């Protein structure tokens, strides 16, 4: 079985890739955190401080994550100004509506896969829930260059204006975010399948027209 040696080499290569990712991720994570904090400082003119988190674990949760790691930056909690006042027999309750996010998440695990994801804002007044958006995936932490991180941050603020109910976005920005969703790796295969079916349909139409033309020409 000649394929065995080749298969074993591929598997050893993958194990080596996972070890490389695990060893180099902590260094890259520090670099990313530094860029996030620089971004937060430069954005401070808007009187907005972003939420930067470097772990999935929390003192307020009974869950403890092992092997998983994350660095993320998100728009802070903000009141929308809307509220629902309910008058009861003994007391009045006020439900103040709020928005939190979106969030740019860079996550990894012992599998060595690094994903860059935009998580939509949570807004009490949202009528339609928006899905998360996978921007990038890799097995190599070194692929996350400063240039790429800055690009992700730019996409992050555009996504926030499109997704948030507290901001305004342009038509071009909305089209750009739709374009990013179209090329989301998780949906790419489905989109390619749809395009393939459309192409097959029109190919069949053209072949039928060509056949009809040839028959008409030779009769």
């Amino acid at each position: 079985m000649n394929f065995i040696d080749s298969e074993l080499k591929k598997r050893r290569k993958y194990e080596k890739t996972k070890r490389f990712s695990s060893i180099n991720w902590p260094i890259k994570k520090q670099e990313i955190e530094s860029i996030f904090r620089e971004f937060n400082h430069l954005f401070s003119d808007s009187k907005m401080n972003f939420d930067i988190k470097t772990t999935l674990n929390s003192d307020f949760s009974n869950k403890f994550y092992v092997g998983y790691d994350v660095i993320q930056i998100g728009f802070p909690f903000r009141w929308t100004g809307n509220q629902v006042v309910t008058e009861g027999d003994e007391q009045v309750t006020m439900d103040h509506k709020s928005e939190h996010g979106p969030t740019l998440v860079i996550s990894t695990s012992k599998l060595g896969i690094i994903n860059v994801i935009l998580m939509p804002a949570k807004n009490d007044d949202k009528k339609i829930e928006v899905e998360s958006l996978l921007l990038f995936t890799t097995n190599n932490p070194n692929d996350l260059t400063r240039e790429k991180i800055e690009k992700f941050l730019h996409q992050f603020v555009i996504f926030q204006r499109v997704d948030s109910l507290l901001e305004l976005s342009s038509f071009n920005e909305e089209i750009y975010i739709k374009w990013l969703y179209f090329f989301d790796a998780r949906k790419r295969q489905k989109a390619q399948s749809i395009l393939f079916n459309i192409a097959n349909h029109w190919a069949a139409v053209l072949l039928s027209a060509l056949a009809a033309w040839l028959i008409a020409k030779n009769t």
Side-chain angles (χ1 to χ4, degrees):
M1 298 184 186
N2 296 329
F3 68 90
I4 296 294
D5 287 341
S6 175
E7 183 65 26
L8 291 175
K9 286 180 181 178
K10 291 176 182 178
R11 290 172 184 270
R12 285 194 293 267
K13 182 180 179 181
Y14 177 60
E15 289 300 322
K16 184 178 179 181
T17 299
K18 285 199 297 183
R19 287 197 301 272
F20 176 84
S21 180
S22 297
I23 292 171
N24 286 274
W25 166 249
I27 301 171
K28 180 57 65 175
K29 181 181 177 181
Q30 290 181 349
E31 294 176 7
I32 295 171
E33 182 180 357
S34 177
I35 296 172
F36 281 1
R37 296 199 181 281
E38 179 185 348
F39 169 81
N40 182 51
H41 175 71
L42 294 173
F43 219 94
S44 61
D45 288 343
S46 65
K47 297 181 180 179
M48 184 180 299
N49 288 314
F50 292 89
D51 296 327
I52 299 175
K53 294 183 179 179
T54 59
T55 180
L56 287 168
N57 297 315
S58 170
D59 295 335
F60 304 100
S61 173
N62 59 358
K63 289 183 179 180
F64 188 78
Y65 295 87
V66 178
Y68 301 95
D69 200 9
V70 70
I71 173 76
Q72 66 183 48
I73 181 170
F75 278 82
F77 175 95
R78 293 187 291 173
W79 297 113
T80 66
N82 296 331
Q83 59 180 302
V84 176
V85 180
T86 304
E87 295 184 358
D89 294 334
E90 298 182 358
Q91 62 179 2
V92 176
T93 59
M94 291 182 287
D95 180 14
H96 295 271
K97 304 302 180 180
S98 63
E99 179 176 281
H100 189 200
T103 306
L104 172 63
V105 180
I106 303 178
S107 64
T108 189
S109 70
K110 289 298 183 182
L111 295 174
I113 302 170
I114 301 171
N115 293 313
V116 181
I117 303 173
L118 286 172
M119 301 298 295
K122 295 180 180 179
N123 189 307
D124 297 331
D125 288 320
K126 265 189 176 180
K127 303 302 180 185
I128 301 175
E129 290 298 324
V130 179
E131 295 181 352
S132 62
L133 174 55
L134 179 63
L135 295 178
F136 185 72
T137 185
T138 183
N139 293 98
N140 187 352
N142 292 335
D143 288 340
L144 298 173
T145 62
R146 182 181 179 90
E147 182 181 7
K148 270 197 171 68
I149 298 300
E150 289 183 357
K151 179 182 178 181
F152 298 147
L153 286 169
H154 190 194
Q155 293 170 329
F156 168 54
V157 294
I158 295 174
F159 181 77
Q160 189 264 347
R161 281 204 305 278
V162 173
D163 180 57
S164 173
L165 297 182
L166 299 174
E167 308 287 353
L168 292 176
S169 59
S170 68
F171 175 76
N172 289 341
E173 289 170 339
E174 292 174 7
I175 293 298
Y176 177 65
I177 295 302
K178 290 183 184 297
W179 179 81
L180 289 178
Y181 269 113
F182 181 80
F183 285 97
D184 185 318
R186 297 166 298 182
K187 303 174 184 177
R188 194 176 299 155
Q189 186 175 359
K190 181 179 179 181
Q192 288 174 343
S193 177
I194 293 172
L195 290 174
F196 180 76
N197 291 333
I198 292 173
N200 282 346
H201 168 74
W202 285 108
V205 170
L206 290 173
L207 285 173
S208 298
L210 179 60
W213 178 78
L214 289 173
I215 293 170
K217 183 178 181 181
N218 292 285
T219 55

